[in-house]
Amino acid sequence: DAKTTQPNSMESNEEEPVHLPCNHSTISGTDYIHWYRQLPSQGPEYVIHGLTSNVNNRMASLAIAEDRKSSTLILHRATLRDAAVYYCILNNAGNMLTFGGGTRLMVKP
Amino acid sequence: GAVVSQHPSWVICKSGTSVKIECRSLDFQATTMFWYRQFPKQSLMLMATSNEGSKATYEQGVEKDKFLINHASLTLSTLTVTSAHPEDSSFYICSAPRTAAPNTEAFFGQGTRLTVV
């Protein structure tokens, strides 16, 4: 399975934008990029996914590099409730998600 | 909207007993569900793929006789931890893809915290 690399942790101030990077240099042409987040003591929650074009939804935006070897999850205005571990995962159509270490986002008031 | 409900949310059991965890898809059908285990401060580890009407597929190193999976209907998968021991204490999480189509988003249960004493 193609791997993803994310920083272990990031910090943000409340109400400021947050850019969470993910590297996936060995991504294949059919891999979709999925993002999930996990709040403490809860199951993960779907955030967004995309293939080539940038994607927006009510939770976040996903910016995908032209060569698809990296992507960035953008939270437009971080709130305290956005503090979580964010996972960038490549989905190879089988819908079986392999989780890496993720990025722990801390939001300061 | 589509939701996955997991029950119980926590359980404490004595060493040597068995524990059953249920995972239900609400408002949608799931021919495939996935079971994960998460130890403290670690990421989720896939244990097995649960297939409706057929045998589960287990990841390497996961004992199928210890972690019994049954997916008898399109909305229910169960994980039974048999003869539980303290090292089985963990956070167990199930998930289901929203549809059977490839690359669909997944919904996760709220998790079950198992403590074996």
Side-chain angles (χ1 to χ4, degrees):
Chain A
D1 288 341
K3 278 190 65 175
T4 62
T5 305
Q6 299 176 253
N8 289 335
S9 63
M10 289 185 66
E11 237 179 46
S12 169
N13 293 318
E14 196 176 11
E15 302 203 358
E16 289 187 357
V18 182
H19 290 230
L20 297 165
C22 180
N23 286 321
H24 28 79
S25 57
T26 57
I27 190 171
S28 75
T30 55
D31 286 333
Y32 276 70
I33 302 157
H34 284 237
W35 283 82
Y36 290 81
R37 71 179 185 181
Q38 186 178 25
L39 279 66
S41 298
Q42 293 186 30
E45 173 187 29
Y46 167 78
V47 178
I48 201 167
H49 76 287
L51 182 62
T52 56
S53 304
N54 294 344
V55 185
N56 300 294
N57 66 19
R58 63 173 181 82
M59 287 183 72
S61 295
L62 176 60
I64 302 172
E66 199 169 325
D67 63 5
R68 299 206 333 119
K69 293 186 177 182
S70 66
S71 60
T72 302
L73 180 70
I74 303 166
L75 306 179
H76 295 287
R77 282 180 71 235
T79 70
L80 297 178
R81 289 181 295 179
D82 291 322
V85 179
Y86 287 78
Y87 295 99
C88 169
I89 302 169
L90 300 183
N91 188 347
N92 62 358
N95 290 324
M96 184 172 68
L97 303 176
T98 301
F99 285 76
T103 296
R104 181 173 299 278
L105 175 65
M106 292 167 280
V107 181
K108 295 185 294 184
Chain B
V3 170
V4 170
S5 177
Q6 199 172 329
H7 177 82
S9 54
W10 61 271
V11 58
I12 301 172
C13 72
K14 289 186 177 180
S15 189
T17 62
S18 296
V19 173
K20 180 188 282 189
I21 302 169
E22 292 186 348
C23 180
R24 292 183 186 274
S25 58
L26 307 181
D27 297 327
F28 73 105
Q29 295 181 333
T31 54
T32 301
M33 290 185 176
F34 300 95
W35 286 96
Y36 295 84
R37 180 168 53 180
Q38 185 175 32
F39 292 107
K41 301 204 184 301
Q42 294 186 23
S43 188
L44 283 76
M45 287 175 38
L46 180 67
M47 298 176 67
T49 302
S50 172
N51 303 299
E52 188 267 334
S54 65
K55 290 183 179 180
T57 305
Y58 291 82
E59 294 302 298
Q60 193 172 8
V62 178
E63 301 174 55
K64 62 177 171 49
D65 294 330
K66 180 169 183 61
F67 298 100
L68 301 178
I69 291 173
N70 185 282
H71 194 152
S73 79
L74 287 172
T75 59
L76 174 64
S77 175
T78 61
L79 169 69
T80 301
V81 183
T82 63
S83 186
H85 288 96
E87 57 265 29
D88 298 322
S89 298
S90 189
F91 193 49
Y92 292 86
I93 306 167
C94 68
S95 78
R98 184 176 60 83
T99 73
N103 290 302
T104 188
E105 63 267 35
F107 294 99
F108 288 80
Q110 60 269 50
T112 297
R113 188 161 303 282
L114 170 63
T115 303
V116 184
V117 298

